[in-house]
Amino acid sequence: MVESKYRWRNRELREQVEVLDGKRSPTILLKNATYLNAIFKKWLQANIWIYNDRIVYVGEKLPDKVDQTCEVVDCKNSLLVPGYIEPHAHPFQLYNPVSFAQYTSKFGTTVLINDNLQLCLFTNKKKAFSFIDDLKSLPTTLYWWGRLDSQTEIIDEEVVFSNASVKKWLEHESVIQAGELTGWPKLLEGDDLKLYWIQEAKRLNKKVEGHFPGASEKTLAKLKLLGADSDHESINGKEVMRRLLQGYMVGLRHSSIRPDLPQILEELKEENIPNYSQLMLTTDGSTPSFYENGVMDHLIKICIEHGIPAIEAYLMTTLNPAKYFNLEHLHGQIATGRVADINFIASEDNPTPVSVLAKGKWVKRDGKELDNRYQINMDQYGFQPLTIDWNLNNEDLQYSMPVGISLDSSVITKPYSITTDLYRDKLDDDVDECFFTYIQRNGELRINTVLKGFAKNLDGLATTFTNTGDILLIGKNKKDMCTAFERMKEIGGGIVISKNGNIIYELPLTFSGHSSELDFESLIEKDKEFKKIMTKFGYRFNDPIYTLLFLTSTHLPYIRLTPLGLFDVMQKKVLFPAIMR
């Protein structure tokens, strides 16, 4: 199924053979190349012939025919490694799949395996598939997951993730895995529809990715029996070993909310792992500013700095994921028949490329990014600015619920008993609590409670950047919460902060209230600005963007706001139902 994404026509295949026969010239000839041979795990010398987007020969010979259409590059001052693979990307984390792909490619990450959740939630299947197909024109290669659940509790889950819809996603040629399995507790409890989808993925020769934070040995074994192939939720070396011993492919994560890689690597060295073939690296959909210094190249560098053999570090982002996803005939190696994704690096210990070829096209040359930005009209795929045609009323900001939500980290929450007097328009600054309101995007349902541990001096914040796509209002001052909401309506969705009646920050998210049309570099600056403001207001964890996103997600403990109401994740029940406005 995957092969059809790069199924060269008979004519193209014949042309590639003609290059070897000397009847046709390569389009690029890389002479005197020292390249990483992923099979022998050695640096070898070769000449590399490329015809359009494919490597047609790697070896000692030079082509018999080289005409004026062929670009000849002397590689004597570079080392060549395969394009890097990000096996677990969330491409709608303020950015969008196009801006993320363009940005990652200049750091040598030329293959992205992407979450399809927002495509399921914010557009229809027909438009989503058209979007995926149109992205094939990018130099970066984009593959996709097939989600089996919403990662939260939504009212129409059985419609969005119907049997017919999930199967169509799994059958799509660009979808190479099912998951991630955020709904695994239901699977263990007997959800046979999920088990059927996993069986379908297996029948289609596609992988199943887990999402098993804190899972015990027995739980991991059960989920392995039910079809899970990999997991990326290890936060220490012990958890990595637990997964390896149960036969999992393990993603070592280093992200904006879990920057654990250095610790994991140090603990793994103590285990004296004999090989690294069951390991790959991931940034797990970090927020924009995390990528300021690189993408997969940054993780490779961390591995090398912590004593991982350099070649093994490169393989964890090239051959290992390619083999795992059954893509080794296309990616992960500099070898005949593979897609021409090649990074040119200055030295073995510096994985950030000087030049990058992606599908045989230069996206970076001699340290300079080439101006080949891809423009796409997202409106035609259903990603439009939000139209919010309702207004807040006095009842929307009335608070009487006895149970609030307390932040323990960027993404972990716990319930607590509210003792603060909430019958007023402004909370005191010395109280580490904020008014907290959830309102369904269409304005029909709401929930009012209190959020503790988020920010001490935040007057008003409004956001549509949530897992469900609904609206959150947070703050100590009801007037500023309303001011932020009104501005958020005007810009078509996004993140807005108001203080003393003035808008001090706004980030328009014009693609369904979830993603920005800004280029990635500009988005990095907006992300840094937001984090600086939130830190000033008393936010004390790693990533406030992820906090906003996950306040409505039910795949992590312990308590969340959902369209159904205040939801206990562990007990899987609604504590207080949402009410009609």
Side-chain angles (χ1 to χ4, degrees):
M1 292 293 292
V2 171
E3 290 166 312
S4 63
K5 183 176 174 66
Y6 281 104
R7 186 177 295 146
W8 290 277
R9 295 186 178 92
N10 286 355
R11 174 183 55 80
E12 294 172 311
L13 295 173
R14 297 296 183 190
E15 289 176 354
Q16 293 163 10
V17 172
E18 287 176 359
V19 176
L20 289 170
D21 289 338
K23 298 176 182 179
R24 186 179 294 269
S25 173
T27 52
I28 297 178
L29 173 60
L30 305 177
K31 295 175 60 177
N32 306 315
T34 301
Y35 78 102
L36 175 59
N37 185 291
I39 302 301
F40 292 105
K41 296 186 179 181
K42 291 181 178 180
W43 297 98
L44 299 180
Q45 303 288 323
N47 299 305
I48 301 168
W49 311 359
I50 296 171
Y51 184 72
N52 293 332
D53 61 346
R54 197 178 194 191
I55 299 171
V56 297
Y57 174 81
V58 178
E60 297 179 356
K61 298 183 183 300
L62 289 169
D64 292 332
K65 183 175 183 178
V66 178
D67 62 22
Q68 69 276 8
T69 65
C70 179
E71 179 182 4
V72 180
V73 182
D74 191 336
C75 302
K76 63 181 179 181
N77 295 321
S78 298
L79 298 176
L80 277 59
V81 296
Y84 308 139
I85 300 171
E86 167 55 275
H88 187 92
H90 295 276
F92 293 94
Q93 304 296 63
L94 298 182
Y95 40 84
N96 64 73
V98 177
S99 63
F100 189 53
Q102 290 175 332
Y103 183 79
T104 65
S105 65
K106 72 178 185 179
F107 290 99
T109 300
T110 55
V111 178
L112 300 171
I113 300 169
N114 297 290
D115 186 0
N116 74 325
L117 181 59
Q118 280 67 43
L119 295 178
C120 293
L121 296 178
F122 299 143
T123 189
N124 61 53
K125 187 166 70 270
K126 182 179 179 181
K127 290 181 178 179
F129 288 172
S130 294
F131 179 60
I132 287 174
D133 289 341
D134 287 351
L135 291 177
K136 292 177 183 178
S137 60
L138 286 170
T140 306
T141 301
L142 280 71
Y143 295 107
W144 297 85
W145 320 348
R147 284 275 193 162
L148 308 184
D149 59 71
S150 66
Q151 197 171 285
T152 184
E153 301 292 322
I154 57 176
I155 293 171
D156 57 348
E157 174 113 4
E158 70 282 356
V159 176
V160 177
F161 294 92
S162 68
N163 182 47
S165 180
V166 170
K167 286 183 66 177
K168 282 292 185 183
W169 273 101
L170 292 177
E171 291 166 358
H172 194 281
E173 64 183 18
S174 294
V175 173
I176 61 174
Q177 73 170 12
E180 53 186 318
L181 292 180
T182 54
W184 61 268
K186 293 180 180 179
L187 176 65
L188 288 180
E189 290 169 2
D191 187 337
D192 278 342
L193 185 55
K194 275 192 176 60
L195 186 55
Y196 167 67
W197 292 334
I198 291 171
Q199 295 278 55
E200 279 294 288
K202 295 291 187 180
R203 182 180 67 82
L204 294 165
N205 198 30
K206 299 184 180 186
K207 299 298 184 180
V208 177
E209 184 178 21
H211 182 281
F212 310 141
S216 68
E217 182 182 49
K218 184 177 285 187
T219 296
L220 289 169
K222 289 178 182 179
L223 290 164
K224 185 66 178 174
L225 291 174
L226 293 175
D229 294 300
S230 67
D231 184 69
H232 61 282
E233 288 293 323
S234 303
I235 61 173
N236 55 50
K238 183 179 180 180
E239 292 193 354
V240 172
M241 293 300 296
R242 188 183 299 160
R243 285 156 173 77
L244 289 174
L245 289 169
Q246 294 303 319
Y248 283 80
M249 187 75 177
V250 181
L252 304 183
R253 176 175 55 187
H254 192 68
S255 71
S256 55
I257 56 173
R258 295 293 330 186
D260 298 320
L261 187 58
Q263 174 192 338
I264 290 173
L265 294 173
E266 289 300 317
E267 293 175 0
L268 285 181
K269 282 197 298 185
E270 297 175 4
E271 300 288 345
N272 295 315
I273 294 178
N275 71 76
Y276 299 81
S277 62
Q278 287 297 106
L279 300 175
M280 49 190 178
L281 305 175
T282 180
T283 61
D284 194 10
S286 295
T287 44
S289 59
F290 183 82
Y291 294 112
E292 188 170 21
N293 296 317
V295 190
M296 302 311 293
D297 57 310
H298 180 55
L299 273 58
I300 297 170
K301 190 172 182 64
I302 292 173
C303 288
I304 295 172
E305 289 173 346
H306 285 267
I308 303 300
I311 289 177
E312 296 290 355
Y314 283 103
L315 294 184
M316 281 194 278
T317 63
T318 54
L319 184 60
N320 292 5
K323 290 183 71 172
Y324 168 71
F325 285 110
N326 300 317
L327 296 171
E328 67 269 29
H329 60 299
L330 297 173
H331 305 291
Q333 302 183 60
I334 297 176
T336 300
R338 275 59 176 190
V339 177
D341 294 340
I342 300 175
N343 292 329
F344 298 69
I345 59 176
S347 62
E348 185 181 55
D349 60 357
N350 185 5
T352 301
V354 176
S355 301
V356 179
L357 276 173
K359 293 181 184 173
K361 299 177 182 178
W362 295 104
V363 296
K364 184 180 183 181
R365 193 74 184 270
D366 298 327
K368 296 181 179 179
E369 181 183 4
L370 301 186
D371 186 17
N372 52 6
R373 292 186 181 272
Y374 184 81
Q375 300 296 325
I376 185 169
N377 178 12
M378 298 284 281
D379 285 3
Q380 63 183 311
Y381 306 108
F383 293 96
Q384 301 169 334
L386 294 184
T387 300
I388 301 173
D389 57 2
W390 48 270
N391 299 310
L392 290 177
N393 57 50
N394 291 333
E395 293 183 356
D396 288 330
L397 299 180
Q398 300 301 315
Y399 300 85
S400 58
M401 189 179 292
V403 176
I405 297 177
S406 177
L407 275 183
D408 262 20
S409 72
S410 295
V411 297
I412 302 299
T413 61
K414 291 183 178 178
Y416 81 102
S417 297
I418 299 171
T419 59
T420 303
D421 175 18
L422 302 177
Y423 292 97
R424 46 184 171 164
D425 292 333
K426 189 176 186 301
L427 295 176
D428 296 335
D429 287 344
D430 60 351
V431 177
D432 190 16
E433 294 172 311
C434 292
F435 296 122
F436 186 21
T437 294
Y438 161 97
I439 304 180
Q440 199 174 16
R441 182 182 293 200
N442 60 15
E444 290 185 0
L445 298 170
R446 67 171 170 85
I447 312 163
N448 292 18
T449 185
V450 171
L451 182 60
K452 183 178 181 180
F454 182 67
K456 288 185 176 181
N457 303 302
L458 175 66
D459 285 355
L461 180 150
T463 182
T464 55
F465 185 72
T466 62
N467 187 71
T468 60
D470 297 312
I471 294 164
L472 299 180
L473 306 176
I474 307 171
K476 289 180 169 291
N477 189 318
K478 293 180 181 179
K479 288 184 178 179
D480 277 297
M481 293 165 69
C482 292
T483 300
F485 172 78
E486 290 301 321
R487 180 56 183 162
M488 187 194 69
K489 283 177 59 176
E490 292 174 2
I491 63 176
I495 303 172
V496 177
I497 299 176
S498 174
K499 185 172 181 60
N500 297 325
N502 298 311
I503 303 300
I504 63 168
Y505 178 88
E506 64 178 50
L507 174 59
L509 299 176
T510 51
F511 299 151
S512 300
H514 203 85
S515 297
S516 172
E517 62 185 12
L518 292 175
D519 63 75
F520 204 93
E521 290 80 1
S522 299
L523 203 51
I524 286 174
E525 296 307 314
K526 292 296 291 184
D527 182 29
K528 289 164 63 176
E529 180 187 357
F530 179 73
K531 289 173 179 173
K532 182 178 180 180
I533 291 172
M534 290 305 302
T535 299
K536 181 180 178 181
F537 288 160
Y539 182 85
R540 53 195 173 90
F541 302 113
N542 287 342
D543 199 330
I545 294 294
Y546 253 106
T547 299
L548 297 178
L549 179 68
F550 280 176
L551 284 169
T552 59
S553 299
T554 57
H555 68 302
L556 292 171
Y558 287 91
I559 186 169
R560 307 285 160 167
L561 293 184
T562 75
L564 301 183
L566 187 65
F567 191 81
D568 186 320
V569 175
M570 306 306 289
Q571 298 296 322
K572 303 174 189 63
K573 66 179 183 181
V574 176
L575 300 178
F576 295 91
I579 62 174
M580 297 293 294
R581 296 180 66 243

